Amino acid sequence: MFDHSIHNIGYIARTITYGEEYEMVKKYIDYFIRSKENLTKKNFAIFIEPQIDSGYPDIVIVDYYETENTSWVEERNSLSNNDLRILFEIQKKQSVSVDELESLLGFTKNDLEKSISRLLKSKMIYANKYHNKIRSAKFKSYCRINNIIAIEAKIDKWNEAIRQATNNTWFATESYILMNKDKCNETIMNVCKERGIGIILMNGKITCKLKSEKQSMPVSYSSLQFNEWILREQFSRI
């Protein structure tokens, strides 16, 4: 459970504002934990209002693989958002040059070389000595995440919930709105379907009215941030 900032792993969360929406968040998390109690082979990390580049999603639930056999190097503790942006681009392209990265991302060659050096030391990429061809390591060798589910909780502001849940499709494999309602009209259902977001209703009982569309990992470099936070936290305890 990531319910507060953990500075030694570079994780920042918004200070919790207690009120009706937080009570919804807490009830949903309790419900989720109860529903998964018998899944002994599943690993979940739950983040409450993590700070990412697109804002502070209310709940992010990450389903990840066992990390026991994951090799860890200290250099990964210092990887920045920009390093992960570069890693994401390399992973997406499979094979890319520094010149291509410079054109795609707008970083200076000097900054790219520094990031590439950190990623090489972290064993997340490979490159020849001239760095004219860089490729990603096998994705599952450094990323243990299966799914990232983002949930926006609102008492009654449908439009705001839909807007924020749409933003969350930038990093999450699944995105939902969580509303303090027992029903929603057809117009809202259609808007959510068009945007690929799901609907969870909470009024006495919790019901999934519409399943979210599912994207593949990684959706963006921010997807990789959650992987680093989970692994840093686990390896910081060893």
Side-chain angles (χ1 to χ4, degrees):
M1 180 74 74
F2 291 76
D3 56 2
H4 61 278
S5 297
I6 309 173
H7 295 285
N8 67 307
I9 65 166
Y11 175 69
I12 306 296
R14 184 152 60 185
T15 303
I16 291 170
T17 302
Y18 295 96
E20 286 184 278
E21 282 184 8
Y22 177 68
E23 287 304 312
M24 284 178 65
V25 165
K26 204 165 75 165
K27 283 179 185 176
Y28 183 80
I29 290 172
D30 289 344
Y31 160 81
F32 179 84
I33 291 170
R34 287 196 307 272
S35 72
K36 305 299 181 186
E37 279 177 341
N38 296 323
L39 297 178
T40 54
K41 293 184 179 180
K42 283 281 191 179
N43 300 282
F44 295 99
I46 300 173
F47 297 79
I48 299 176
E49 296 198 74
Q51 182 188 68
I52 60 173
D53 285 355
S54 60
Y56 295 86
D58 288 329
I59 309 168
V60 179
I61 299 170
V62 179
D63 163 14
Y64 65 95
Y65 302 103
E66 282 286 352
T67 61
E68 288 178 356
N69 298 321
T70 303
S71 60
W72 186 255
V73 289
E74 282 299 311
E75 283 78 7
R76 284 182 70 165
N77 287 312
S78 60
L79 292 178
S80 67
N81 277 7
N82 283 344
D83 295 332
L84 296 179
R85 283 182 68 188
I86 292 163
L87 174 62
F88 175 70
E89 203 62 45
I90 295 169
Q91 196 276 328
K92 190 167 64 173
K93 298 286 184 185
Q94 294 299 309
S95 181
V96 66
S97 68
V98 173
D99 287 341
E100 287 172 301
L101 288 171
E102 188 178 10
S103 174
L104 286 164
L105 300 173
F107 295 134
T108 66
K109 191 162 286 189
N110 184 51
D111 286 341
L112 281 169
E113 291 284 0
K114 288 177 181 177
S115 278
I116 288 165
S117 177
R118 286 189 289 270
L119 292 169
L120 283 167
K121 289 174 183 175
S122 299
K123 300 180 180 179
M124 299 163 94
I125 63 169
Y126 301 103
N128 60 28
K129 66 178 180 178
Y130 301 109
H131 290 182
N132 58 352
K133 279 298 172 188
I134 303 157
R135 57 189 176 88
S136 171
K138 188 177 179 182
F139 184 63
K140 287 185 179 179
S141 72
Y142 64 82
C143 186
R144 310 302 292 165
I145 292 176
N146 184 31
N147 288 315
I148 300 176
I149 303 165
I151 301 169
E152 284 298 330
K154 287 285 178 286
I155 300 298
D156 54 15
K157 297 177 181 176
W158 286 101
N159 289 341
E160 183 63 16
I162 291 169
R163 183 188 68 79
Q164 292 183 4
T166 303
N167 286 345
N168 291 343
T169 62
W170 171 67
F171 73 90
T173 58
E174 299 176 51
S175 181
Y176 287 87
I177 56 174
L178 172 65
M179 301 296 296
N180 188 33
K181 303 283 184 184
D182 56 10
K183 60 184 178 181
C184 63
N185 63 42
E186 192 174 341
T187 301
I188 289 166
M189 288 280 285
N190 288 336
V191 169
C192 290
K193 279 180 184 176
E194 285 172 11
R195 300 189 182 197
I197 61 179
I199 302 172
I200 302 168
L201 301 181
M202 175 189 290
N203 196 332
K205 66 176 184 176
I206 296 171
T207 309
C208 181
K209 295 295 288 185
L210 178 66
K211 284 283 290 178
S212 167
E213 287 185 9
K214 190 170 180 179
Q215 303 186 85
S216 300
M217 271 292 295
V219 183
S220 72
Y221 67 87
S222 196
S223 310
L224 300 176
Q225 276 185 305
F226 288 93
N227 181 68
E228 296 308 296
W229 288 328
I230 291 168
L231 293 179
R232 286 175 190 177
E233 196 278 332
Q234 292 195 348
F235 282 97
S236 70
R237 289 185 268 134
I238 296 173

